[in-house]
Amino acid sequence: MKKNYLSFDIGGTHVKWGLLDHNGSILEKDHFSSDSSDGAPILHKIRGKIKEFQSEIEGIAISSPGFINPSTGFIEKGGAIKEFDNLNLQTLLQSEFNLPVSIENDVNCVAFAEKWLGNGKNLADFICLTVGTGIGGALFLNNQIYRGHSFRGGEFGFMITQGLHGVSPEEDSLSTLASMRGIRNKYAEYYSLPFNEVTGEQVFQAYDEKDPVAVTIVEKFYESLALGIYNITSVLNPEKVLIGGGITSRPTFINELEKHLTYIDRVFHIEIDACHFRNDAGLVGALAFHKTKYNNTETVTS
């Protein structure tokens, strides 16, 4: 009897896939290249993986960037995967494989994972904020994911927190000021290095070594991230802010961020924590949403 699910977490660099059981346990997982965010080879490889496991799965769950209607599976904007613009991935795969398919925004999937089995499990109101190439966000309010009227709720990366100073608003957005791409770009520019040769780990290592340039860049990063959290929590007053992304593997990350959050702690008493699920959040969260969508388990409320 089929009892497992195939989950995909689509990103601009890699597509993670996992075979999961109905409890959210990962039985097998791996990843393949996104081929420079090219939609055609991504779909080809997804199809191949589905064919490989088709006889032992009862559903396909997908986490993807972009503005997504989770009811219909229509992707209005595919984020990093431009070829996914105006694509109904759910209908496409369902018609081809005759299996239930779900697709949800990637950071919403992080929130679903945390609500189902992670650090949001017992919370009615919390936000997820992911720090990576850009800044992503998701909202769980009154025990429900909040998507907004056009599925753009929680797009924290578009916030302007320190005024407009550049040619375009994007230059002053939270995704520019408080992301890994942002700190890498500033470090590369100062030392006249190619952007692709600078990693976030390199900048934080220089920060730990008290390189004055890295210290300035990283402290500005924390300040910008804190300002975003100030604004979000002052409007929504959640019980907890959960932060995801590779940066959370840094043991001192939460403590360093909290040094910039003393004001909001005095006013709103918000707990800041890392997401329980790290690289597997998209896989687990995609399944959590899938099971909710098809009403075959009591996971989380959508």
Side-chain angles (χ1 to χ4, degrees):
M1 179 181 176
K2 296 180 181 179
K3 59 180 179 179
N4 297 325
Y5 301 84
L6 192 59
S7 278
F8 294 94
D9 182 11
I10 300 172
T13 304
H14 294 103
V15 176
K16 300 166 192 161
W17 65 266
L19 183 68
L20 284 70
D21 68 16
H22 69 283
N23 293 316
S25 297
I26 298 175
L27 308 175
E28 186 177 346
K29 67 176 181 177
D30 205 341
H31 67 272
F32 53 80
S33 172
S34 297
D35 293 290
S36 301
S37 303
D38 192 335
I42 289 173
L43 274 176
H44 177 74
K45 292 173 184 178
I46 285 175
R47 287 186 172 105
K49 196 56 62 177
I50 295 171
K51 290 175 183 176
E52 180 181 342
F53 289 99
Q54 189 170 4
S55 64
E56 55 186 293
I57 60 174
E58 58 180 90
I60 301 161
I62 299 172
S63 163
S64 181
F67 303 144
I68 299 167
N69 182 332
S71 297
T72 65
F74 180 75
I75 305 172
E76 181 183 343
K77 294 290 184 182
I81 318 300
K82 301 298 183 185
E83 291 83 358
F84 281 7
D85 289 359
N86 299 309
L87 172 70
N88 194 312
L89 189 54
Q90 176 180 309
T91 299
L92 183 69
L93 295 177
Q94 278 183 171
S95 62
E96 186 171 344
F97 295 102
N98 195 31
L99 284 167
V101 176
S102 64
I103 179 166
E104 173 62 290
N105 170 269
D106 50 3
V107 188
N108 283 353
C109 284
V110 173
F112 272 113
E114 293 299 314
K115 179 63 176 174
W116 185 22
L117 299 169
N119 291 334
K121 188 172 183 179
N122 299 313
L123 303 178
D125 298 274
F126 68 93
I127 67 172
C128 282
L129 188 151
T130 57
V131 182
T133 302
I135 299 294
L139 310 165
F140 241 96
L141 305 175
N142 297 321
N143 274 317
Q144 292 187 325
I145 199 79
Y146 179 79
R147 299 184 176 93
H149 82 96
S150 59
F151 312 105
R152 288 159 169 77
E155 292 289 345
F156 306 145
F158 288 94
M159 294 174 59
I160 306 297
T161 59
Q162 299 185 54
L164 294 172
H165 307 287
V167 175
S168 66
E170 287 80 4
E171 294 179 36
D172 298 299
S173 70
L174 199 62
S175 277
T176 297
L177 299 176
S179 66
M180 291 300 100
R181 175 178 288 276
I183 67 170
R184 289 170 59 202
N185 188 55
K186 290 176 183 176
Y187 191 85
E189 283 185 352
Y190 186 88
Y191 285 109
S192 300
L193 298 170
F195 174 78
N196 290 336
E197 292 183 10
V198 175
T199 65
E201 290 85 356
Q202 179 181 346
V203 179
F204 274 91
Q205 181 179 344
Y207 172 78
D208 291 335
E209 294 170 355
K210 310 300 183 186
D211 174 349
V213 173
V215 168
T216 299
I217 291 171
V218 171
E219 287 298 319
K220 190 67 174 179
F221 156 80
Y222 279 125
E223 177 187 299
S224 298
L225 191 57
L227 283 171
I229 294 172
Y230 285 152
N231 292 342
I232 296 163
T233 54
S234 66
V235 173
L236 298 173
N237 189 28
E239 297 172 75
K240 185 180 283 190
V241 176
L242 296 176
I243 302 179
I247 185 62
T248 60
S249 63
R250 178 176 171 82
T252 54
F253 170 73
I254 295 295
N255 287 337
E256 289 165 352
L257 175 60
E258 285 181 335
K259 291 177 183 177
H260 295 266
L261 288 167
T262 54
Y263 168 73
I264 202 161
D265 186 55
R266 292 198 306 270
V267 178
F268 292 102
H269 310 294
I270 299 299
E271 184 178 353
I272 310 294
D273 199 0
C275 290
H276 173 75
F277 292 100
R278 297 183 187 275
N279 285 334
D280 296 332
L283 300 177
V284 175
L287 176 58
F289 171 67
H290 181 93
K291 291 165 73 67
T292 300
K293 178 181 175 73
Y294 291 101
N295 297 316
N296 55 6
T297 189
E298 294 182 4
T299 51
V300 294
T301 303
S302 63

